[in-house]
Amino acid sequence: MAGDEASSQRLTRRAKFNRDQEAGHVKLVADYFADEPVYPAEIFRRRFRMSRPLFLRIAGDMAQSDPFFTLRNDARGQRGFSNLQKCTSAICQLAYGYAPDALDEYIRMSERTALLCLHKFCEWVVKLYSKRYLRKPNANDVQKLYQAHEQRHGFPGMLGSIDCMHWPWQNCPVAWQGQYTRGDHGHPTIILEAVASQDLWIWHAFFGLPGSLNDLNIIYQSQIFEDVVAGTGPDTSFTVSGVEYRRGYYLADGYTQRTRQSLKLFRTRQTTKEKSLRSIKRVREKILNGLLVFHKKKWHIIEHPARSATPKRLRNIMYACIILHNMIIEDEGRAICEYGENASTGNTVPVSGEQQDLNMFALRNEYTHHNLQADLVEYIWNNTQNEPDDMEDKD
Protein backbone atom coordinates (compact mmCIF):
# COMPACT_ATOMS: atom_id res chain seq x y z
CA MET A 1 0.00 0.00 0.00
CA ALA A 2 2.78 2.36 0.93
CA GLY A 3 4.58 1.45 -2.30
CA ASP A 4 1.51 2.37 -4.37
CA GLU A 5 1.30 5.79 -2.70
CA ALA A 6 4.98 6.50 -3.34
CA SER A 7 4.58 5.45 -6.97
CA SER A 8 1.57 7.72 -7.47
CA GLN A 9 3.45 10.64 -5.93
CA ARG A 10 6.37 10.14 -8.32
CA LEU A 11 4.01 10.05 -11.29
CA THR A 12 2.30 13.23 -10.10
CA ARG A 13 5.58 15.12 -9.74
CA ARG A 14 6.72 14.10 -13.21
CA ALA A 15 3.43 14.80 -14.95
CA LYS A 16 3.73 16.17 -18.49
CA PHE A 17 1.83 19.40 -19.21
CA ASN A 18 0.55 20.12 -22.68
CA ARG A 19 2.16 23.55 -22.99
CA ASP A 20 1.65 23.77 -26.76
CA GLN A 21 5.21 24.81 -27.65
CA GLU A 22 4.25 25.52 -31.24
CA ALA A 23 1.73 28.17 -30.17
CA GLY A 24 4.46 29.85 -28.12
CA HIS A 25 6.78 29.88 -31.14
CA VAL A 26 4.11 31.33 -33.43
CA LYS A 27 3.31 34.09 -30.90
CA LEU A 28 6.99 34.94 -30.43
CA VAL A 29 7.65 35.17 -34.18
CA ALA A 30 4.56 37.33 -34.73
CA ASP A 31 5.60 39.71 -31.95
CA TYR A 32 9.29 40.19 -32.79
CA PHE A 33 10.60 38.24 -35.80
CA ALA A 34 7.98 38.48 -38.55
CA ASP A 35 8.46 40.65 -41.65
CA GLU A 36 6.06 43.13 -40.04
CA PRO A 37 6.30 42.37 -36.31
CA VAL A 38 3.92 43.70 -33.70
CA TYR A 39 6.76 45.47 -31.86
CA PRO A 40 9.15 47.66 -33.86
CA ALA A 41 12.94 47.61 -33.79
CA GLU A 42 13.36 50.17 -31.00
CA ILE A 43 11.17 48.11 -28.64
CA PHE A 44 13.06 44.96 -29.60
CA ARG A 45 16.35 46.70 -28.78
CA ARG A 46 15.04 47.85 -25.40
CA ARG A 47 13.65 44.47 -24.38
CA PHE A 48 16.39 42.24 -25.79
CA ARG A 49 19.20 44.76 -25.04
CA MET A 50 20.46 44.42 -28.61
CA SER A 51 19.39 44.84 -32.23
CA ARG A 52 17.38 42.16 -34.01
CA PRO A 53 20.19 41.34 -36.54
CA LEU A 54 22.67 40.79 -33.70
CA PHE A 55 20.24 38.55 -31.83
CA LEU A 56 19.55 36.49 -34.96
CA ARG A 57 23.28 36.19 -35.58
CA ILE A 58 23.84 34.83 -32.07
CA ALA A 59 20.86 32.47 -32.35
CA GLY A 60 22.17 31.17 -35.68
CA ASP A 61 25.63 30.56 -34.22
CA MET A 62 24.05 28.68 -31.33
CA ALA A 63 22.09 26.42 -33.68
CA GLN A 64 25.21 25.59 -35.68
CA SER A 65 27.30 24.88 -32.58
CA ASP A 66 24.96 22.74 -30.46
CA PRO A 67 22.00 20.57 -31.54
CA PHE A 68 20.30 21.59 -28.31
CA PHE A 69 19.43 24.94 -29.92
CA THR A 70 17.68 23.34 -32.88
CA LEU A 71 14.03 22.30 -33.14
CA ARG A 72 13.75 18.62 -32.20
CA ASN A 73 11.14 16.15 -31.06
CA ASP A 74 11.40 14.52 -27.65
CA ALA A 75 11.44 10.79 -26.92
CA ARG A 76 7.64 10.64 -27.19
CA GLY A 77 7.66 12.29 -30.60
CA GLN A 78 6.24 15.58 -29.34
CA ARG A 79 7.45 18.89 -30.74
CA GLY A 80 10.19 20.64 -28.76
CA PHE A 81 11.16 24.29 -28.52
CA SER A 82 12.51 26.31 -31.40
CA ASN A 83 15.87 28.07 -31.55
CA LEU A 84 14.19 31.45 -31.04
CA GLN A 85 12.29 30.29 -27.97
CA LYS A 86 15.41 28.92 -26.28
CA CYS A 87 17.57 31.98 -27.01
CA THR A 88 14.76 34.37 -26.01
CA SER A 89 14.31 32.58 -22.70
CA ALA A 90 18.04 32.88 -21.95
CA ILE A 91 18.20 36.57 -22.91
CA CYS A 92 15.13 37.42 -20.82
CA GLN A 93 16.66 35.77 -17.76
CA LEU A 94 19.90 37.70 -18.28
CA ALA A 95 18.27 41.03 -19.13
CA TYR A 96 15.48 41.09 -16.54
CA GLY A 97 16.68 38.65 -13.89
CA TYR A 98 13.46 36.68 -14.30
CA ALA A 99 12.83 33.47 -12.44
CA PRO A 100 13.21 30.52 -14.82
CA ASP A 101 9.46 29.88 -14.99
CA ALA A 102 8.37 33.53 -15.25
CA LEU A 103 7.76 33.29 -19.01
CA ASP A 104 6.02 29.92 -18.93
CA GLU A 105 2.72 31.44 -20.06
CA TYR A 106 4.36 33.24 -23.02
CA ILE A 107 7.19 31.00 -24.24
CA ARG A 108 5.50 27.85 -22.86
CA MET A 109 8.72 26.61 -21.27
CA SER A 110 9.13 24.81 -17.95
CA GLU A 111 11.50 25.98 -15.21
CA ARG A 112 13.91 23.08 -15.78
CA THR A 113 14.16 23.71 -19.51
CA ALA A 114 14.53 27.46 -19.05
CA LEU A 115 17.44 26.97 -16.64
CA LEU A 116 19.05 24.57 -19.09
CA CYS A 117 18.66 27.16 -21.86
CA LEU A 118 20.31 29.81 -19.71
CA HIS A 119 23.34 27.71 -18.80
CA LYS A 120 23.78 26.32 -22.32
CA PHE A 121 23.44 29.77 -23.85
CA CYS A 122 26.03 31.34 -21.52
CA GLU A 123 28.41 28.44 -22.00
CA TRP A 124 28.34 28.76 -25.79
CA VAL A 125 28.59 32.56 -25.76
CA VAL A 126 31.84 32.20 -23.82
CA LYS A 127 33.12 29.45 -26.13
CA LEU A 128 32.24 31.18 -29.39
CA TYR A 129 33.05 34.82 -28.74
CA SER A 130 35.72 35.01 -26.03
CA LYS A 131 38.59 35.23 -28.52
CA ARG A 132 37.18 38.37 -30.09
CA TYR A 133 35.26 40.10 -27.33
CA LEU A 134 37.47 39.29 -24.33
CA ARG A 135 40.77 39.89 -26.12
CA LYS A 136 43.67 41.88 -24.80
CA PRO A 137 44.55 45.05 -26.70
CA ASN A 138 47.22 44.69 -29.38
CA ALA A 139 49.66 47.40 -30.41
CA ASN A 140 47.13 49.11 -32.72
CA ASP A 141 44.44 49.00 -30.02
CA VAL A 142 46.82 50.53 -27.48
CA GLN A 143 47.61 53.49 -29.72
CA LYS A 144 43.91 54.10 -30.39
CA LEU A 145 43.16 53.97 -26.66
CA TYR A 146 45.98 56.42 -25.97
CA GLN A 147 44.69 58.80 -28.61
CA ALA A 148 41.06 58.58 -27.52
CA HIS A 149 41.77 59.09 -23.83
CA GLU A 150 44.19 61.95 -24.39
CA GLN A 151 41.77 63.75 -26.70
CA ARG A 152 38.85 63.26 -24.34
CA HIS A 153 40.51 63.67 -20.94
CA GLY A 154 44.05 64.91 -21.54
CA PHE A 155 45.83 61.90 -20.00
CA PRO A 156 48.64 60.47 -22.15
CA GLY A 157 49.31 56.75 -21.80
CA MET A 158 45.94 55.94 -20.21
CA LEU A 159 44.64 52.45 -21.06
CA GLY A 160 41.45 52.57 -19.01
CA SER A 161 40.10 52.24 -15.49
CA ILE A 162 40.41 49.23 -13.20
CA ASP A 163 38.24 48.31 -10.26
CA CYS A 164 36.48 45.42 -8.51
CA MET A 165 32.83 44.75 -7.72
CA HIS A 166 31.12 42.19 -5.49
CA TRP A 167 28.23 40.04 -6.72
CA PRO A 168 26.13 38.70 -3.80
CA TRP A 169 25.80 34.92 -3.82
CA GLN A 170 22.42 33.90 -2.46
CA ASN A 171 22.83 30.13 -2.74
CA CYS A 172 26.42 29.91 -1.56
CA PRO A 173 26.99 26.48 0.09
CA VAL A 174 27.07 26.72 3.87
CA ALA A 175 30.58 25.23 4.04
CA TRP A 176 31.92 28.06 1.83
CA GLN A 177 30.15 31.02 3.39
CA GLY A 178 33.02 31.95 5.70
CA GLN A 179 35.44 32.01 2.77
CA TYR A 180 33.16 34.14 0.56
CA THR A 181 31.99 36.62 3.22
CA ARG A 182 33.73 39.87 4.13
CA GLY A 183 32.86 41.88 7.23
CA ASP A 184 31.81 45.06 5.44
CA HIS A 185 29.35 43.14 3.27
CA GLY A 186 27.95 40.65 5.75
CA HIS A 187 26.93 38.08 3.13
CA PRO A 188 28.72 35.82 0.63
CA THR A 189 29.95 37.54 -2.53
CA ILE A 190 32.05 36.73 -5.58
CA ILE A 191 34.45 39.34 -6.93
CA LEU A 192 34.78 40.66 -10.48
CA GLU A 193 37.89 42.60 -11.50
CA ALA A 194 37.36 44.58 -14.70
CA VAL A 195 39.15 47.11 -16.88
CA ALA A 196 37.10 49.44 -19.08
CA SER A 197 38.05 52.14 -21.56
CA GLN A 198 36.17 55.36 -22.27
CA ASP A 199 33.74 53.63 -24.66
CA LEU A 200 32.92 51.19 -21.79
CA TRP A 201 34.49 48.31 -23.70
CA ILE A 202 35.67 45.80 -21.10
CA TRP A 203 39.24 44.77 -21.95
CA HIS A 204 39.86 42.55 -18.98
CA ALA A 205 37.60 40.55 -16.69
CA PHE A 206 38.65 38.24 -13.88
CA PHE A 207 35.76 36.70 -11.97
CA GLY A 208 35.36 34.00 -9.35
CA LEU A 209 37.54 34.92 -6.38
CA PRO A 210 36.01 34.75 -2.88
CA GLY A 211 34.50 37.94 -1.55
CA SER A 212 36.70 37.90 1.56
CA LEU A 213 39.70 39.10 -0.49
CA ASN A 214 40.71 42.73 -0.85
CA ASP A 215 41.90 44.50 -4.01
CA LEU A 216 45.55 43.75 -3.28
CA ASN A 217 44.91 39.99 -3.01
CA ILE A 218 42.93 40.08 -6.23
CA ILE A 219 45.68 41.79 -8.24
CA TYR A 220 48.21 39.22 -7.00
CA GLN A 221 46.02 36.42 -8.39
CA SER A 222 44.79 38.24 -11.49
CA GLN A 223 46.23 37.72 -14.96
CA ILE A 224 46.00 41.37 -15.97
CA PHE A 225 49.78 41.86 -15.79
CA GLU A 226 50.69 38.35 -16.90
CA ASP A 227 51.81 39.41 -20.40
CA VAL A 228 53.85 42.27 -18.92
CA VAL A 229 55.76 39.93 -16.64
CA ALA A 230 56.20 37.27 -19.34
CA GLY A 231 57.35 39.86 -21.87
CA THR A 232 54.72 38.79 -24.42
CA GLY A 233 52.62 41.95 -24.50
CA PRO A 234 52.70 44.61 -27.22
CA ASP A 235 54.83 47.74 -27.07
CA THR A 236 52.82 50.26 -25.04
CA SER A 237 55.48 52.90 -24.44
CA PHE A 238 54.47 56.57 -24.26
CA THR A 239 56.04 59.90 -23.37
CA VAL A 240 54.81 62.44 -20.83
CA SER A 241 56.62 65.63 -19.78
CA GLY A 242 59.63 64.53 -21.81
CA VAL A 243 60.00 61.19 -19.99
CA GLU A 244 59.40 57.89 -21.76
CA TYR A 245 57.55 55.11 -19.95
CA ARG A 246 57.51 51.56 -21.24
CA ARG A 247 53.97 50.68 -20.19
CA GLY A 248 50.62 52.45 -20.10
CA TYR A 249 48.63 52.76 -16.92
CA TYR A 250 45.14 52.18 -15.53
CA LEU A 251 43.33 54.61 -13.27
CA ALA A 252 42.73 53.02 -9.88
CA ASP A 253 41.23 54.06 -6.58
CA GLY A 254 43.16 54.70 -3.39
CA TYR A 255 43.00 51.07 -2.27
CA THR A 256 44.42 49.45 -5.39
CA GLN A 257 48.04 48.39 -5.27
CA ARG A 258 50.51 50.89 -6.61
CA THR A 259 52.13 49.46 -9.69
CA ARG A 260 53.61 51.02 -12.73
CA GLN A 261 50.43 50.15 -14.61
CA SER A 262 47.87 51.23 -12.00
CA LEU A 263 47.92 54.95 -11.28
CA LYS A 264 46.67 55.57 -7.76
CA LEU A 265 44.65 58.71 -7.14
CA PHE A 266 45.70 61.33 -4.62
CA ARG A 267 44.11 60.93 -1.21
CA THR A 268 45.10 64.46 -0.19
CA ARG A 269 45.99 67.37 -2.42
CA GLN A 270 48.55 69.74 -1.00
CA THR A 271 49.72 71.81 -3.95
CA THR A 272 48.00 73.80 -6.62
CA LYS A 273 49.49 71.61 -9.32
CA GLU A 274 48.16 68.48 -7.70
CA LYS A 275 44.71 70.05 -7.74
CA SER A 276 44.98 70.09 -11.53
CA LEU A 277 44.55 66.31 -11.32
CA ARG A 278 41.02 66.70 -9.93
CA SER A 279 39.74 65.52 -13.31
CA ILE A 280 41.32 62.09 -12.70
CA LYS A 281 38.62 61.35 -10.17
CA ARG A 282 35.92 62.59 -12.51
CA VAL A 283 37.21 60.49 -15.42
CA ARG A 284 37.44 57.38 -13.31
CA GLU A 285 34.02 57.89 -11.77
CA LYS A 286 32.45 58.43 -15.18
CA ILE A 287 33.93 55.23 -16.60
CA LEU A 288 33.10 53.15 -13.54
CA ASN A 289 29.60 54.61 -13.30
CA GLY A 290 29.15 53.45 -16.88
CA LEU A 291 30.22 49.97 -15.82
CA LEU A 292 27.77 50.15 -12.93
CA VAL A 293 25.02 50.96 -15.41
CA PHE A 294 26.06 47.93 -17.44
CA HIS A 295 25.94 45.62 -14.45
CA LYS A 296 22.76 46.84 -12.81
CA LYS A 297 20.66 48.27 -15.62
CA LYS A 298 21.39 46.30 -18.76
CA TRP A 299 21.72 42.80 -17.27
CA HIS A 300 19.47 42.62 -14.23
CA ILE A 301 20.56 39.07 -13.42
CA ILE A 302 23.71 40.67 -11.95
CA GLU A 303 21.68 43.20 -9.98
CA HIS A 304 20.02 40.41 -8.01
CA PRO A 305 21.89 37.96 -5.74
CA ALA A 306 23.21 34.98 -7.69
CA ARG A 307 20.96 31.94 -7.52
CA SER A 308 23.19 29.28 -9.11
CA ALA A 309 24.89 26.92 -6.70
CA THR A 310 28.17 26.36 -8.58
CA PRO A 311 30.94 28.92 -9.27
CA LYS A 312 31.40 27.54 -12.79
CA ARG A 313 27.86 28.47 -13.81
CA LEU A 314 28.21 31.89 -12.21
CA ARG A 315 31.44 32.47 -14.16
CA ASN A 316 29.72 31.57 -17.42
CA ILE A 317 26.85 33.96 -16.65
CA MET A 318 29.19 36.84 -15.76
CA TYR A 319 31.49 36.36 -18.75
CA ALA A 320 28.51 35.94 -21.08
CA CYS A 321 27.08 39.27 -19.90
CA ILE A 322 30.45 40.97 -20.46
CA ILE A 323 30.85 39.46 -23.94
CA LEU A 324 27.31 40.42 -24.94
CA HIS A 325 27.98 43.93 -23.61
CA ASN A 326 31.05 44.26 -25.86
CA MET A 327 29.15 42.80 -28.82
CA ILE A 328 26.44 45.43 -28.40
CA ILE A 329 29.02 48.23 -28.25
CA GLU A 330 30.59 46.98 -31.48
CA ASP A 331 27.20 46.51 -33.15
CA GLU A 332 26.20 50.08 -32.29
CA GLY A 333 29.47 51.47 -33.67
CA ARG A 334 30.67 52.92 -30.35
CA ALA A 335 33.86 50.89 -30.02
CA ILE A 336 37.16 52.77 -30.10
CA CYS A 337 39.08 49.80 -31.52
CA GLU A 338 38.21 47.46 -34.36
CA TYR A 339 38.93 43.75 -34.28
CA GLY A 340 41.75 42.51 -36.47
CA GLU A 341 41.84 38.73 -36.72
CA ASN A 342 45.43 38.67 -37.97
CA ALA A 343 46.70 41.57 -35.87
CA SER A 344 49.96 40.93 -34.07
CA THR A 345 49.84 40.87 -30.28
CA GLY A 346 53.60 41.18 -29.84
CA ASN A 347 56.22 38.67 -28.77
CA THR A 348 54.68 35.22 -28.28
CA VAL A 349 57.74 33.60 -26.67
CA PRO A 350 58.06 34.29 -22.92
CA VAL A 351 61.35 35.73 -21.70
CA SER A 352 63.64 33.91 -19.30
CA GLY A 353 62.72 33.44 -15.66
CA GLU A 354 65.35 35.94 -14.55
CA GLN A 355 63.94 38.59 -16.87
CA GLN A 356 60.42 37.85 -15.63
CA ASP A 357 61.60 38.54 -12.07
CA LEU A 358 63.03 41.86 -13.25
CA ASN A 359 59.76 42.70 -15.01
CA MET A 360 57.84 41.94 -11.83
CA PHE A 361 60.17 44.13 -9.80
CA ALA A 362 59.79 46.99 -12.28
CA LEU A 363 56.01 46.58 -12.24
CA ARG A 364 55.85 46.96 -8.45
CA ASN A 365 58.38 49.78 -8.30
CA GLU A 366 56.72 52.62 -6.37
CA TYR A 367 59.48 55.00 -7.43
CA THR A 368 58.31 54.71 -11.03
CA HIS A 369 54.73 55.17 -9.88
CA HIS A 370 55.51 58.41 -8.06
CA ASN A 371 57.54 59.70 -11.02
CA LEU A 372 54.66 59.01 -13.39
CA GLN A 373 52.26 60.74 -11.05
CA ALA A 374 54.52 63.79 -10.79
CA ASP A 375 55.04 63.94 -14.57
CA LEU A 376 51.30 63.79 -15.14
CA VAL A 377 50.83 66.63 -12.67
CA GLU A 378 53.27 68.76 -14.67
CA TYR A 379 51.73 67.75 -18.00
CA ILE A 380 48.15 68.46 -16.96
CA TRP A 381 49.15 71.68 -15.20
CA ASN A 382 50.90 72.99 -18.31
CA ASN A 383 47.89 72.11 -20.48
CA THR A 384 45.14 73.37 -18.21
CA GLN A 385 46.55 76.38 -16.35
CA ASN A 386 45.00 78.76 -18.89
CA GLU A 387 41.56 77.19 -18.59
CA PRO A 388 38.95 78.68 -16.20
CA ASP A 389 39.02 77.16 -12.76
CA ASP A 390 35.66 75.48 -12.33
CA MET A 391 34.26 74.12 -9.15
CA GLU A 392 36.24 71.87 -6.86
CA ASP A 393 35.56 68.15 -6.54
CA LYS A 394 32.51 67.16 -4.60
CA ASP A 395 32.82 63.87 -2.80
Side-chain angles (χ1 to χ4, degrees):
M1 191 71 177
D4 295 339
E5 292 180 358
S7 177
S8 63
Q9 289 177 0
R10 285 197 298 270
L11 290 176
T12 302
R13 288 198 303 269
R14 299 175 62 89
K16 173 70 175 179
F17 294 104
N18 182 19
R19 287 186 165 84
D20 195 1
Q21 291 92 328
E22 185 173 2
H25 171 75
V26 171
K27 177 65 174 174
L28 180 64
V29 171
D31 286 345
Y32 295 107
F33 301 101
D35 293 336
E36 296 182 359
V38 174
Y39 301 103
E42 56 270 18
I43 294 182
F44 184 98
R45 183 184 297 273
R46 185 174 72 245
R47 293 179 177 174
F48 285 73
R49 304 299 195 258
M50 64 187 72
S51 65
R52 186 182 292 110
L54 177 58
F55 178 86
L56 292 176
R57 168 194 160 194
I58 295 173
D61 292 342
M62 294 290 168
Q64 293 180 1
S65 302
D66 191 342
F68 172 81
F69 288 97
T70 58
L71 177 61
R72 300 173 298 166
N73 295 333
D74 61 17
R76 289 175 286 187
Q78 296 183 353
R79 186 183 190 276
F81 295 97
S82 67
N83 170 263
L84 294 179
Q85 285 173 291
K86 293 175 180 178
C87 292
T88 299
S89 174
I91 287 293
C92 287
Q93 292 179 70
L94 293 174
Y96 291 97
Y98 282 157
D101 61 346
L103 296 177
D104 191 2
E105 298 88 347
Y106 180 65
I107 302 181
R108 310 296 177 88
M109 185 176 293
S110 67
E111 177 182 6
R112 181 172 177 270
T113 306
L115 272 177
L116 186 59
C117 290
L118 173 65
H119 297 314
K120 286 271 190 180
F121 182 86
C122 293
E123 179 183 353
W124 278 106
V125 165
V126 174
K127 287 182 179 180
L128 293 174
Y129 305 117
S130 291
K131 179 181 178 182
R132 177 166 182 165
Y133 296 101
L134 273 183
R135 69 184 189 275
K136 289 189 174 182
N138 55 41
N140 293 332
D141 295 335
V142 168
Q143 295 306 316
K144 290 181 179 179
L145 291 174
Y146 283 173
Q147 183 180 5
H149 288 141
E150 185 167 7
Q151 287 180 352
R152 182 68 180 269
H153 307 295
F155 296 109
M158 174 183 164
L159 290 169
S161 182
I162 181 173
D163 202 4
C164 301
M165 66 159 285
H166 291 254
W167 188 14
W169 191 4
Q170 175 179 319
N171 291 331
C172 176
V174 176
W176 295 359
Q177 289 185 5
Q179 178 184 2
Y180 283 82
T181 303
R182 201 167 75 181
D184 56 343
H185 288 86
H187 51 78
T189 61
I190 303 182
I191 298 175
L192 167 69
E193 178 193 62
V195 170
S197 53
Q198 172 58 36
D199 57 352
L200 299 185
W201 184 284
I202 299 177
W203 290 100
H204 164 79
F206 184 57
F207 177 77
L209 293 181
S212 59
L213 302 180
N214 58 32
D215 291 0
L216 188 62
N217 304 135
I218 296 167
I219 285 188
Y220 281 143
Q221 300 186 45
S222 172
Q223 300 176 350
I224 184 172
F225 300 128
E226 185 179 39
D227 59 338
V228 177
V229 175
T232 58
D235 179 17
T236 61
S237 59
F238 70 98
T239 302
V240 56
S241 298
V243 180
E244 182 178 0
Y245 291 90
R246 292 182 55 195
R247 298 289 178 184
Y249 58 87
Y250 304 106
L251 295 186
D253 63 14
Y255 298 97
T256 304
Q257 180 194 22
R258 293 181 180 179
T259 67
R260 191 175 63 186
Q261 280 203 275
S262 59
L263 181 65
K264 182 178 177 180
L265 307 184
F266 289 109
R267 286 200 180 185
T268 59
R269 300 177 181 132
Q270 300 176 350
T271 68
T272 304
K273 288 186 178 181
E274 287 178 357
K275 289 182 180 180
S276 68
L277 276 182
R278 62 185 179 273
S279 52
I280 285 184
K281 184 177 181 181
R282 294 176 181 174
V283 171
R284 182 178 178 276
E285 286 181 348
K286 186 173 183 179
I287 293 176
L288 294 180
N289 284 341
L291 275 180
L292 186 63
V293 171
F294 150 64
H295 281 296
K296 296 193 174 183
K297 299 299 180 183
K298 182 174 288 186
W299 307 112
H300 284 197
I301 193 172
I302 303 175
E303 183 180 11
H304 304 298
R307 292 189 290 261
S308 296
T310 62
K312 180 180 179 181
R313 287 181 172 178
L314 295 180
R315 279 195 294 270
N316 283 337
I317 291 173
M318 179 63 75
Y319 287 131
C321 289
I322 292 172
I323 291 171
L324 291 172
H325 168 79
N326 287 346
M327 294 178 73
I328 293 169
I329 289 179
E330 182 187 66
D331 183 63
E332 295 177 349
R334 296 187 286 115
I336 294 175
C337 305
E338 297 180 357
Y339 176 69
E341 186 173 358
N342 299 321
S344 174
T345 58
N347 179 30
T348 58
V349 180
V351 297
S352 63
E354 181 179 355
Q355 183 61 45
Q356 291 187 25
D357 292 338
L358 293 176
N359 291 341
M360 179 63 73
F361 174 79
L363 187 66
R364 297 180 179 179
N365 191 349
E366 289 196 13
Y367 179 76
T368 307
H369 171 89
H370 288 302
N371 284 346
L372 172 60
Q373 198 175 59
D375 289 336
L376 281 173
V377 168
E378 290 292 335
Y379 180 86
I380 295 175
W381 172 258
N382 293 332
N383 285 273
T384 61
Q385 59 180 337
N386 294 325
E387 296 180 1
D389 188 16
D390 51 346
M391 61 181 179
E392 296 290 332
D393 288 342
K394 295 182 179 180
D395 295 330

